Amino acid sequence: MDECNILNTLKKNNIVLENRFVRPIIISGPCSAESREQMINTAMELSQMGIGVFRAGIWKPRSRPGSYTGSGSIGLKWLKEVKQKTGMLTAVEVAKPSHVYEAISNDVDILWIGARTTVNPFVIQELAETLKGSEVHVLIKNPINPDLELWIGAVERFLKAGIRNIGVIHRGFSLYKRKKYRNEPLWQIPLDFKSRFPEIPIFCDPSHICGNPNLMLEIAQKSLDLNFDGLMIESHINPPKALSDAKQQITPAELENLLLKLKLRNQDTQFSNSLSTLRKMIDKKDKELMKILNERMKIVEEIGKLKKENNILILQNDRWEKILSNMMTLGRNKGMNNEFVESVFKLIHQESIYVQSLLMNEEECSKIEIN
Ligand code: PEP
Ligand code: MN
């Protein structure tokens, strides 16, 4: 795959903001296209700040009927005008082949696939076939549910159709009960994606992860620290009056403020010497940890044999609770995170029970989860 093709194309169009923002690439614009005035005014401000890519939802897949579904095709004319007036690249969400035809014939540069579309392999296949051999850039949002394989499957369908200019967007995952975030970031999923497809650029969408502006800086910073390639952030000329996602949109001025607060860390290693010394120390500790875990497991097996000979229950709850509370006290005294210590020991205990169950039953048995 042509390495970072999308990045190179976007970079050329990404004007430098106070000499800092060649990378990450910033994509911004309203959740939905509402009016010509809203689109042009938002884009003019973003462009003056140096944002190179303008987004707008023309056709919005809404969870519930009756919500604003975007301007429809007329928004493509407004987008074209944005492009002519500002020179920005334009991006829209597509969910059906007719969206793809219309967007491409209106010179849209980037098509993104929304989270509610990525979940459906039939629709993705149809979109990929519609785009076969096209040079257009496609950004694929993660599916709403935390399913890495489904996300990867969507990417593979586009790759198989010969679409080379692919990127992905991490927009968080929907859970039944909303907690701190509108969509849980579950960072391990985009990180696993990155290690499976290191050459595919990955963007973060703090707007849909957070659902409000307060947490966005924290999420944007974290994504940059994890070496994401860019950000997609919703902006609106007058957020309280927005017809969709009003709570999470920010003004272009607020966006500029946020971008200026972001810290860009060096990718190359000025500190490579001390870094490699520290990494060697970590490798040594990891080996010691493995040795100790292995020794501990051997003792667990000995205990298992004894329990079997004496026909004693595997789970001795008092003993387990004592171990856990002792370790948590020890951890606390050493300034370690309680949840971390708890999870580590729960995992160890779970594995110990599994090993003893195998021994006592002398047959395959599934792992018992202790919560
Ligand atoms: C959007 O980008 O406006 C949108 C609808 O996002 P998502 O598909 O991530 O919900
Ligand atoms: Mn939105």
Side-chain angles (χ1 to χ4, degrees):
M1 181 171 171
D2 191 1
E3 205 193 341
C4 294
N5 202 334
I6 194 163
L7 289 182
N8 295 336
T9 314
L10 297 181
K11 258 185 221 166
K12 271 192 244 143
N13 290 276
N14 210 37
I15 307 151
V16 177
L17 176 69
E18 295 192 3
N19 292 326
R20 298 179 64 213
F21 284 103
V22 173
R23 192 174 167 279
I25 292 125
I26 311 298
I27 304 172
S28 190
C31 178
S32 359
E34 297 167 6
S35 69
R36 177 183 172 275
E37 192 193 12
Q38 169 236 14
M39 295 272 276
I40 306 289
N41 291 349
T42 312
M44 293 298 263
E45 284 198 28
L46 292 172
S47 162
Q48 274 157 23
M49 285 160 48
I51 307 296
V53 192
F54 186 75
R55 63 149 277 158
I58 303 287
W59 305 280
K60 304 291 300 173
R62 305 309 303 273
S63 297
R64 306 277 302 275
S67 311
Y68 181 64
T69 53
S71 64
S73 309
I74 185 151
L76 293 168
K77 304 274 168 286
W78 305 332
L79 261 190
K80 219 171 181 177
E81 201 178 331
V82 162
K83 193 166 168 162
Q84 281 155 3
K85 283 202 158 75
T86 65
M88 292 169 97
L89 293 180
T90 53
V92 299
E93 173 173 353
V94 291
K96 331 195 261 197
S98 64
H99 297 159
V100 172
Y101 293 128
E102 280 197 63
I104 289 182
S105 59
N106 280 281
D107 296 333
V108 171
D109 304 283
I110 299 163
L111 308 179
W112 89 79
I113 312 296
R116 288 162 192 76
T117 304
T118 309
V119 291
N120 189 328
F122 285 126
V123 179
I124 293 293
Q125 188 62 33
E126 217 178 350
L127 291 172
E129 276 161 25
T130 310
L131 280 162
K132 215 168 201 129
S134 155
E135 289 298 310
V136 75
H137 294 282
V138 181
L139 299 179
I140 303 152
K141 287 199 170 195
N142 65 257
I144 43 178
N145 54 325
D147 185 340
L148 176 61
E149 296 308 315
L150 198 54
W151 196 6
I152 287 178
V155 169
E156 284 170 343
R157 285 175 201 275
F158 285 102
L159 287 173
K160 279 199 169 145
I163 297 135
R164 305 332 291 173
N165 299 324
I166 286 180
V168 294
I169 305 176
H170 170 227
R171 48 79 78 199
F173 301 88
S174 157
L175 299 180
Y176 178 51
K177 285 220 169 86
R178 191 171 159 171
K179 294 186 189 156
K180 184 173 170 189
Y181 301 104
R182 178 179 176 194
N183 290 294
E184 280 298 310
L186 306 179
W187 290 102
Q188 196 54 47
I189 297 179
L191 291 186
D192 286 348
F193 184 95
K194 244 167 110 58
S195 43
R196 300 258 294 264
F197 292 90
E199 76 285 11
I200 293 188
I202 183 161
F203 290 76
C204 177
D205 172 348
S207 307
H208 290 88
I209 291 178
C210 299
N212 71 64
N214 303 337
L215 305 162
M216 270 163 48
L217 177 63
E218 172 200 316
I219 291 291
Q221 184 63 58
K222 177 143 183 174
S223 71
L224 296 189
D225 290 345
L226 295 172
N227 205 16
F228 277 47
D229 300 283
L231 301 166
M232 181 188 252
I233 298 183
E234 287 184 341
S235 57
H236 192 286
I237 206 76
N238 187 1
K241 289 262 154 38
L243 300 179
S244 61
D245 285 351
K247 285 198 196 123
Q248 72 194 31
Q249 300 203 61
I250 56 178
T251 64
E254 285 164 342
L255 175 66
E256 183 168 29
N257 202 12
L258 182 147
L259 294 180
L260 289 170
K261 283 191 187 136
L262 287 174
K263 294 186 188 73
L264 292 180
R265 327 250 188 223
N266 282 329
Q267 197 173 18
D268 66 344
T269 48
Q270 285 168 14
F271 309 103
S272 58
N273 281 342
S274 33
L275 191 66
S276 76
T277 312
L278 289 170
R279 282 186 172 156
K280 276 187 194 129
M281 287 163 72
I282 287 277
D283 290 348
K284 192 165 168 265
K285 287 289 161 209
D286 283 347
K287 276 188 193 146
E288 285 172 27
L289 212 54
M290 287 302 286
K291 188 168 171 280
I292 290 175
L293 279 175
N294 184 254
E295 285 166 6
R296 190 188 192 282
M297 230 21 109
K298 288 202 172 113
I299 302 176
V300 164
E301 279 178 32
E302 289 309 309
I303 295 179
K305 283 180 201 155
L306 265 181
K307 284 183 182 165
K308 187 176 180 179
E309 277 164 28
N310 295 286
N311 207 23
I312 287 176
L313 278 173
I314 294 179
L315 181 62
Q316 301 284 330
N317 223 20
D318 293 353
R319 165 78 181 141
W320 157 236
E321 274 169 16
K322 206 163 180 184
I323 294 181
L324 188 62
S325 104
N326 284 346
M327 290 307 107
M328 291 193 34
T329 312
L330 198 64
R332 245 191 324 275
N333 293 342
K334 292 187 181 301
M336 292 169 82
N337 177 340
N338 248 341
E339 266 175 47
F340 168 69
V341 175
E342 190 177 353
S343 324
V344 169
F345 275 90
K346 276 187 174 168
L347 256 184
I348 292 176
H349 186 232
Q350 197 173 305
E351 184 65 16
S352 307
I353 288 183
Y354 175 60
V355 165
Q356 292 189 351
S357 312
L358 278 183
L359 246 168
M360 292 181 85
N361 298 307
E362 284 169 355
E363 61 193 29
E364 269 299 307
C365 54
S366 53
K367 277 190 195 180
I368 301 167
E369 204 148 313
I370 310 285
N371 291 313

